[in-house]
């Protein structure tokens, strides 16, 4: 089984990514690290624990990490993810706020990368702050980590950002951190909006979960997300973070190519833009494997089938 750490800012689609990772039964989840992002860190930690509890999992530990970006002010997305970050969908689930893993998230990442050299996959579905702190403290993790599969940015669909015209939320939320990670030498696969905006979970898909453990949760939690995308004429909500898990489970879901990619950190208009040098005008070595195409139907079926695994 692939050894993974999930780094999350739970968030509705983060919650779905956690369930997908669990129910795939194909990943050895060493721990989940929480980072400030969609909502403040204490919400992220609580939501993550609630999702694990809802899944009946009481063994995976949650490690708290950065409670703010490296340099900028925090930017949250309550409007998209609801008042509590998961669409008020697990109000009846109570968790122990004091029971988090004893290590700081970045230290947990370093420790596990050192123990499992060449074997550890980091699935990053929030801002890159925890990983940036880890690589700053222990740059050798760049050689120890097998791969970083990271949801963030947009590379070819410029102008179709979701925070600024050219910026995607996870990178925008901490562009300095993303820049450190991109320049760290870590082997990065970037699952950007270019492909995640082709993966929509519609009501028809959700109906296929009827009679299973997760039907109510998926229906309720995605309500505000679906309303958000449906207002622009799209049927369903984008599965950004679950796709990132999907790419780890089955890399053949996407086509990829390696390029030099950098992150804009200075501009007001395009802070957090991921700039891909397709024509190699900068003459720099490729540092990021980007996704250029996706088999979206196969992915959605994989996702639904995994969640359907749990009848009760
Ligand atoms: C990303 O931003 C967050 O709102 C989602 O959870 C996802 O990780 C999409 O831009
Ligand atoms: Ca996320």
């Amino acid at each position: 089984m692939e050894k993974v750490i999930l780094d999350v800012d739970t968030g509705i689609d983060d919650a779905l990514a956690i369930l997908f990772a669990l129910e795939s039964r194909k990943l050895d989840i060493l721990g989940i690290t929480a980072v400030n992002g969609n909502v403040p860190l204490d919400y992220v930690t609580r939501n993550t624990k609630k999702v694990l509890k809802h899944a009946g999992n009481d063994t995976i530990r949650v490690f708290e990490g950065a409670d703010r970006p490296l340099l900028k002010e925090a930017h949250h997305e309550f409007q998209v993810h609801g008042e509590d970050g998961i669409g008020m969908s697990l109000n009846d689930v109570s968790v122990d706020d004091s029971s988090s893993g004893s290590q700081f998230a970045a230290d947990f990442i370093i420790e596990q990368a050192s123990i499992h050299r060449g074997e550890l996959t980091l699935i990053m579905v929030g801002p890159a702050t925890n990983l940036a702190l880890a690589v700053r403290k222990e740059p050798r993790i760049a050689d120890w980590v097998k791969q970083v599969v990271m949801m963030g940015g947009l590379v070819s669909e410029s102008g179709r950002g979701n925070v600024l015209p050219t910026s995607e939320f996870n990178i925008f939320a901490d562009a300095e951190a993303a820049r450190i990670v991109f320049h760290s030498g870590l082997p990065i696969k970037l699952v950007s909006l270019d492909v995640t905006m082709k993966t929509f979970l519609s009501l028809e898909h959700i109906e296929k979960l009827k009679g299973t453990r997760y039907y109510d949760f998926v229906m309720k939690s995605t309500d505000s997300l679906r309303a958000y995308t449906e207002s622009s004429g799209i049927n369903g909500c984008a599965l950004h973070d679950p796709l990132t898990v999907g790419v780890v489970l089955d890399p053949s879901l996407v086509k990829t190519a390696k390029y030099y990619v950098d992150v804009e950190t200075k501009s007001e208009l395009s802070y957090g833009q991921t700039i891909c040098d397709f024509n190699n005008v900068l003459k720099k070595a490729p540092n990021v494997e980007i996704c250029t195409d996706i088999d979206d139907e196969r992915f959605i079926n994989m996702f639904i089938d995994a969640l359907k695994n749990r009848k009760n």
Side-chain angles (χ1 to χ4, degrees), residues 9 13-14 38 81 125-126 151 162 168-170 193 240-241:
D9 63 330
D13 60 328
D14 302 72
N38 288 315
H81 293 270
V125 295
M151 193 285 133
N162 58 7
E168 177 279 335
F169 175 80
N170 286 343
L193 291 183
H240 309 285
D241 296 348

Side-chain angles (χ1 to χ4, degrees), residues 125-241:
V125 295
T129 323
N130 286 340
L131 186 53
L133 290 169
V135 80
R136 274 295 206 214
K137 184 167 178 184
E138 178 48 278
R140 289 178 297 172
I141 65 167
D143 297 323
W144 299 343
V145 166
K146 178 181 167 192
Q147 58 171 348
V148 178
V149 183
M150 178 174 179
M151 193 285 133
L154 72 162
V155 287
S156 57
E157 293 277 344
S158 191
R160 297 189 188 277
N162 58 7
V163 187
L164 292 175
T166 58
S167 304
E168 177 279 335
F169 175 80
N170 286 343
I171 307 289
F172 175 88
D174 196 347
E176 283 78 12
R179 188 152 197 277
I180 288 171
V181 169
F182 281 23
H183 288 280
S184 65
L186 280 157
I188 300 167
K189 193 178 276 183
L190 192 67
V191 183
S192 63
L193 291 183
D194 305 76
V195 283
T196 66
M197 285 304 283
K198 290 179 179 151
T199 59
F200 294 103
L201 183 76
S202 65
L203 268 184
E204 296 74 52
H205 292 127
I206 299 173
E207 286 304 330
K208 293 186 187 172
L209 294 175
K210 218 165 194 163
T212 72
R213 184 181 186 108
Y214 298 123
Y215 175 74
D216 290 341
F217 171 69
V218 176
M219 183 63 92
K220 188 153 189 221
S221 66
T222 58
D223 205 39
S224 62
L225 259 195
R226 280 182 284 112
Y228 174 73
T229 33
E230 277 159 14
S231 64
S232 29
I234 296 168
N235 181 19
C237 57
L239 293 178
H240 309 285
D241 296 348

